[in-house]
Amino acid sequence: QQLHKVAMSMQAHVRGKQVYANFQRRRRAPLHVVYLLGGPGSGKTALGERLAKDLGLMHLSSGEMLRRAVRQKENADIATRMRLAMEEGAAVPNEIIMPLLRRAVARLRFHRGGGTILMDGMPFTEAQRDLLEELPTDELPRPVRVFHLDCDDDTMIFRTINRPHSHPTRGDNTEEVASSMAATFRKVGMPVVEHYEQRGTLTKIDTGASATEEESYAALKSSLTECMVDAGYWSAAGEQLTRAKF
């Protein structure tokens, strides 16, 4: 019986070392980040999910991340603060969203290793942009490209009010809250967009009333593929050359 316990302990130790070695290998795999910025209802999550599915990318939606945290209620005070901010159309405090984001990125790296992450909805404010740029690049690289999903306020408000609500943590289905969310983006989100435009790393994609979803998606997919191919990260066929293989 004692020998059996020793053998089991040794097997557990070996498995632990293998898990750790795989984790370290994933952490060393090249990772590329693309930002999808835009106001509420501009199509960030819908288009991001399609891109991730079609191109085999990792997709990280800040909105879904926050709503998941509210549903889990790991910390009642934090959940309440997040819910109130979301219901009022305000920005969630950085001391709440940044740890959530870092954990989410770490989970993606653990499970997927290298590749391309589409981050939609962050950075939302200039303060968040600065905090993201202060992170070590081996934890979260600087964005290869930033896409602004350019949408007029009337269309954003209409879509926000009328989009399906699959869970009760959304509080944006009134015109008052939707208007507040659009105004908040114009006030605190557009300076972030303008920052990347001045850097020369921004591409605008029309997702407003003048473009259909298919037109917006085709333009986004084409522009992203061209950017990643030109940077040498993807093949001409759109395959991720740096995707980790395990």
Side-chain angles (χ1 to χ4, degrees), residues 11-69:
Q11 290 177 5
H13 178 69
V14 170
R15 285 197 298 271
K17 290 184 67 176
Q18 290 173 340
V19 169
Y20 180 76
N22 284 337
F23 173 64
Q24 291 299 318
R25 190 146 55 99
R26 286 181 169 92
R27 286 191 64 185
R28 290 192 297 268
L31 181 71
H32 311 297
V33 176
V34 173
Y35 292 164
L36 299 181
L37 305 182
S42 62
K44 300 183 300 296
T45 298
L47 297 179
E49 287 177 345
R50 286 186 64 181
L51 278 176
K53 182 178 180 180
D54 288 353
L55 300 176
L57 314 179
M58 295 174 276
H59 178 231
L60 181 55
S61 165
S62 61
E64 290 304 316
M65 179 181 68
L66 290 170
R67 285 185 284 273
R68 189 181 308 113

Side-chain angles (χ1 to χ4, degrees), residues 142-172:
R142 304 299 172 258
V144 177
R145 198 70 187 168
V146 179
F147 290 93
H148 173 211
L149 306 189
D150 192 15
C151 187
D152 57 279
D153 283 14
D154 288 344
T155 301
M156 286 196 293
I157 293 169
F158 176 82
R159 290 174 180 166
T160 302
I161 294 172
N162 291 281
R163 61 187 169 189
H165 303 282
S166 57
H167 44 72
T169 54
R170 277 196 185 276
D172 54 13

